[in-house]
Amino acid sequence: MAGKRPPSLPKSRLELRTVAVGARFGRIYLGRYPNPLGYGKSPSHFSDPRRRVDANRFGVLYLGDTLKVCVLEAVLRDRRDGTDGSLLLGEDELHQRNYAEIEVASALTMVDLRDDSAIRMGVPTDVAGASAQALARKWSLAWHEHPERPDGIIYPSRPNGQTNLAVYHRAVPKLRAVGVRPLIRATGLAAVLDELLVELAP
C-alpha cells in the first residue's frame, strides 16, 4: 500500500471539507521574513514534486489549529524521537521566530485526510505521516491539478493528531493575518512548553 500512486485525475474521488470564514489558525515562521502569509516552494511534506523552475511550481503555506501543534511542527519537529525526559531548547530559537494568527477570509475547500476520509479516497495511510513524503508530494500534485481545484489539504498532525492545513498558494489570498508577535511573547507559550517538557537554555 505504501507505494500506491495517485489515480488518474478523471477517476479520482475527493473527500472535501469546507473551512468556514472566520476560522483561525496559527503559523510560526522565521522573523527575518516580513510576510506572515509568505509561502515556500522548497521541499516539504506536500510540496510540488516536479523538477521545474520555481515560477512553474506551486507553493504551500502550512497552518496549525493551535499554538501547541505549531510548536510541535515548526520548532520541535523530530528532535525528541528516541529520547526520554526534557528537551533543551535554545531561547534564541524562540526570539528568531514569529507567531501569526491567520483568519480565513473566504471559505476554503480542502481535501480531507482526517478520520476515514483518506481510506475512502484510496490514499495510503502514511501519506499524512512523515514516512512517505515523496509519495505525499505525488498525491498533493494530483489534488492540486484536479478539476475541482481544491484550496489545499487538511490533515492530522503526526505528533499529536491536531489539525493542520496545507494551503496551496493559489488560495493564500483567501487568508488574512490578524495578529503577529514574536513567538517568545505568544499567549500560552509557557504552558505549551511546560506540557511538552521543554526547558529553555539561555
Side-chain angles (χ1 to χ4, degrees):
M1 185 104 175
K4 184 175 179 181
R5 297 176 60 84
S8 60
L9 291 177
K11 296 180 181 179
S12 61
R13 179 177 185 270
L14 300 186
E15 289 284 330
L16 299 174
R17 296 294 178 272
T18 298
V19 180
V21 172
R24 292 194 176 187
F25 298 87
R27 183 187 184 208
I28 293 173
Y29 63 101
L30 289 173
R32 66 174 179 264
Y33 298 115
N35 184 4
L37 292 174
Y39 54 85
K41 295 187 177 183
S42 56
S44 64
H45 194 98
F46 292 111
S47 62
D48 192 334
R50 295 172 294 188
R51 295 180 178 178
R52 295 180 165 188
V53 297
D54 278 354
N56 296 328
R57 299 170 65 240
F58 64 80
V60 182
L61 176 69
Y62 294 93
L63 305 175
D65 196 35
T66 65
L67 173 62
K68 181 178 179 179
V69 76
C70 290
V71 169
L72 283 168
E73 295 279 1
V75 181
L76 300 185
R77 291 189 284 271
D78 296 325
R79 296 187 197 202
R80 183 171 269 138
D81 284 2
T83 66
D84 297 315
S86 296
L87 175 69
L88 196 62
L89 183 67
E91 188 172 327
D92 60 324
E93 295 190 57
L94 303 182
H95 284 284
Q96 292 168 4
R97 291 173 166 87
N98 287 339
Y99 178 71
E101 191 172 6
I102 308 297
E103 184 176 79
V104 177
S106 297
L108 297 171
T109 301
M110 310 292 283
V111 176
D112 194 350
L113 296 185
R114 299 167 301 172
D115 302 322
D116 55 0
S117 294
I119 293 172
R120 289 196 295 269
M121 288 188 289
V123 178
T125 55
D126 49 2
V127 162
S131 61
Q133 287 201 358
L135 182 60
R137 292 168 189 161
K138 292 176 183 177
W139 280 85
S140 180
L141 172 60
W143 293 323
H144 182 272
E145 301 298 302
H146 194 280
E148 294 195 50
R149 292 181 59 82
D151 294 318
I153 304 158
I154 185 168
Y155 64 101
S157 166
R158 182 176 61 93
N160 72 351
Q162 291 182 347
T163 297
N164 286 330
L165 301 184
V167 181
Y168 295 137
H169 80 262
R170 65 188 176 205
V172 169
K174 295 184 176 184
L175 306 171
R176 63 176 170 232
V178 294
V180 178
R181 68 194 69 180
L183 176 57
I184 194 73
R185 298 213 310 263
T187 303
L189 179 65
V192 166
L193 296 181
D194 285 346
E195 189 175 352
L196 298 176
L197 301 178
V198 175
E199 296 180 1
L200 291 183

